[in-house]
Amino acid sequence: MNCSGCSPIYPIEDQGTLYLRPFSPMLLEALQTQGMSIEHSDHYIWVHFDNLDMLQSELEKIGRLDSSVLEAISFQVRAMQEQADQEDWISLGLLENRFKHADMVSIILEKKFSSHMQPIVDASQQIIGYEFLLRPAENGRTFNAYELFEIARDTGLHSFLDRTARISAIETSSVFLPQGIKRFVNFLPSSIYNPEYCLTHTFEVIERLGLDPKDFVFEVVETEPIKHMDALQHIFQVYRNHGMSVALDDVGAGFSTIELMNRLEPDFVKIDRSLIDHCDDDPVKQQKIIHIVEMSRRFGGQVLAEGVERIEEFDFCRSAGIELAQGYYFGKPSAQPPTYSN
C-alpha cells in the first residue's frame, strides 16, 4: 500500500507530460485510435501538453477507452523536461479530481496554510497548552479545513496533507511556545498505514528542533468509523514509545463513542462541543458528561471539555470533575499566542 505522504508529489503544471503505464501494444493502438499524438518506450506511453486545456482534452480522449483498459492503467504528470519516476502513479479518477480541484490541490502541494493555536486551560483558567488548527496562510486563498481534507482524500493527497500539517504545527510550536506547554496536534489514522515509517518525519522534526516529546499530544481526528482498531492501537503505542501522549477527539458524538474511548484508553479524552453547549441547563447532557468522566477515571485519562463559550458551562464542567477546557470563552485560534517570559 502506498503512503502518498511519504513520497514526492507533483502539481499539475501549465506545460508538461502525461505518462501512462504499463506499456502495451493494445493500449498504444487504442490511444492512437483516439487521435492522440503519443510517444512511448518499453515501459511508458506519454503525451506532451502545452496548457491545461490541452491536458483536459487528452484526459477526455483517454476516458473514452474501455473501462477494462482504464482499470489497468496508472498515470503521472510531470513538468517539462522531467522524466517519469517510480513514485506517485495514480488512477485516472484521482488525476481527474486533482485537475478538477486544481486551486485547492495547489494549497495542499505548495503548503499554502498556517497553524493557528487555541488555548487549553486548567480548572483555574491557567493556560497549559494549545491545540494547533489548520488555517489559510496570511494573504493566501481562504478555505475550510474540513473541505480541504475531503478534497485531499478525493485526490489521494490526504496522507501528504496530514503529514505536512503535523510538521507545520510542530515547527510553529517551536517558534512560539516554551518547554512545558502542551501542544495538541491532530492526525488522521487512515493516513498512517505503517506508523514506524509514516511517522518518521514527525519524530525527526521534533528531534531536530530540540523539542521535548513529553510536550506533545497527538489526537485522533476521524470523519469515518474506525475500521481497524488494532492498527489505531498500534499507532497510539508508537507515539507513546517515543515519549508522547495521545488523545481521542469529539468523544460523545459522531464516531468517537464511549466504547471506542474505553478500548483505546487515551491519555486525554476530549468531550465534543455538542455535549458541552448549554450543558449547565440540560440534565441529559450532564449525565452523559458525568458518565464520560467516570469512565475516563478507570484508565487514568484526563478529560477536556471542548467548545466552552460560557462561564456557566465551564462551572458545570469543573463541578463534574473535568480538569481541562478549551473554547472561545478562553480564546479563539490565533497565529500567535500570548507572549511568554522565561
Side-chain angles (χ1 to χ4, degrees):
M1 183 176 180
N2 180 41
C3 177
S4 61
C6 304
S7 64
I9 297 177
Y10 301 93
I12 298 175
E13 305 287 353
D14 289 339
Q15 291 184 319
T17 304
L18 172 64
Y19 288 91
L20 298 79
R21 76 173 189 185
F23 169 81
S24 73
M26 183 176 68
L27 176 59
L28 182 64
E29 181 180 356
L31 294 174
Q32 289 172 335
T33 300
Q34 294 296 326
M36 297 178 64
S37 177
I38 56 180
E39 302 176 55
H40 70 90
S41 68
D42 292 339
H43 303 287
Y44 310 128
I45 297 174
W46 63 86
V47 57
H48 300 294
F49 57 90
D50 296 325
N51 53 62
L52 295 183
D53 287 339
M54 182 176 175
L55 174 59
Q56 179 67 42
S57 176
E58 299 300 332
L59 291 176
E60 290 174 356
K61 293 175 185 176
I62 294 171
R64 300 188 192 112
L65 299 180
D66 185 86
S67 59
S68 62
V69 175
L70 287 176
E71 289 174 359
I73 307 171
S74 55
F75 299 81
Q76 186 174 129
V77 176
R78 298 302 298 264
M80 280 294 191
Q81 311 304 322
E82 290 187 347
Q83 301 295 314
D85 60 23
Q86 296 302 311
E87 304 292 342
D88 199 37
W89 289 90
I90 58 177
S91 68
L92 179 61
L94 288 180
L95 181 58
E96 288 178 329
N97 279 339
R98 290 192 191 185
F99 189 90
K100 177 182 177 182
H101 301 291
D103 289 342
M104 296 290 271
V105 167
S106 71
I107 291 174
I108 297 169
L109 296 180
E110 298 173 25
K111 307 175 187 177
K112 295 178 180 178
F113 49 77
S114 62
S115 291
H116 282 209
M117 292 159 276
Q118 185 173 29
I120 294 172
V121 304
D122 62 16
S124 62
Q125 297 193 46
Q126 295 298 307
I127 295 175
I128 62 91
Y130 290 86
E131 179 180 358
F132 287 77
L133 301 166
L134 201 66
R135 293 294 185 267
E138 186 176 2
N139 301 320
R141 174 176 171 164
T142 60
F143 62 80
N144 174 281
Y146 175 81
E147 180 187 5
L148 190 69
F149 271 97
E150 286 300 297
I151 288 175
R153 192 185 302 275
D154 291 342
T155 54
L157 298 172
H158 72 298
S159 291
F160 178 84
L161 177 58
D162 189 42
R163 176 174 67 89
T164 53
R166 285 199 308 273
I167 290 175
S168 171
I170 294 166
E171 291 177 339
T172 301
S173 80
S174 73
V175 174
F176 294 107
L177 302 183
Q179 184 174 343
I181 295 295
K182 294 291 185 184
R183 303 123 201 264
F184 284 70
V185 181
N186 297 320
F187 77 93
L188 291 170
S190 60
S191 73
I192 303 170
Y193 76 93
N194 181 342
E196 282 87 355
Y197 178 63
C198 290
L199 294 178
T200 299
H201 303 84
T202 299
F203 303 143
E204 286 179 346
V205 172
I206 292 173
E207 183 177 1
R208 172 171 57 83
L209 296 174
L211 303 175
D212 188 346
K214 294 186 181 64
D215 289 340
F216 286 90
V217 181
F218 287 91
E219 62 180 81
V220 177
V221 177
E222 193 55 285
T223 56
E224 58 189 27
I226 303 298
K227 298 178 181 179
H228 305 289
M229 182 63 64
D230 290 345
L232 183 51
Q233 289 174 321
H234 184 198
I235 293 172
F236 270 28
Q237 191 57 51
V238 171
Y239 276 126
R240 285 168 165 159
N241 289 345
H242 283 78
M244 304 163 195
S245 300
V246 289
L248 182 61
D249 197 22
D250 301 332
V251 173
F255 301 112
S256 292
T257 63
I258 295 176
E259 179 185 359
L260 179 64
M261 175 192 75
N262 286 331
R263 292 189 63 182
L264 290 173
E265 298 188 348
D267 302 300
F268 292 87
V269 174
K270 302 186 74 173
I271 299 181
D272 187 75
R273 64 184 65 244
S274 64
L275 282 181
I276 301 302
D277 182 37
H278 283 82
C279 61
D280 52 293
D281 56 16
D282 189 326
V284 174
K285 289 183 177 181
Q286 291 175 4
Q287 287 303 311
K288 290 181 179 179
I289 290 170
I290 291 171
H291 182 56
I292 292 173
V293 172
E294 291 175 347
M295 293 297 101
S296 300
R297 284 174 177 163
R298 294 184 182 181
F299 56 82
Q302 285 188 274
V303 181
L304 187 157
E306 293 187 285
V308 175
E309 297 189 2
R310 301 163 51 248
I311 183 60
E312 292 84 0
E313 295 163 347
F314 186 45
D315 285 342
F316 171 77
C317 288
R318 285 187 290 190
S319 70
I322 293 178
E323 302 148 304
L324 305 172
Q326 174 183 357
Y328 281 11
Y329 181 73
F330 312 107
K332 296 182 179 181
S334 173
Q336 295 187 27
T339 301
Y340 286 93
S341 57
N342 295 325

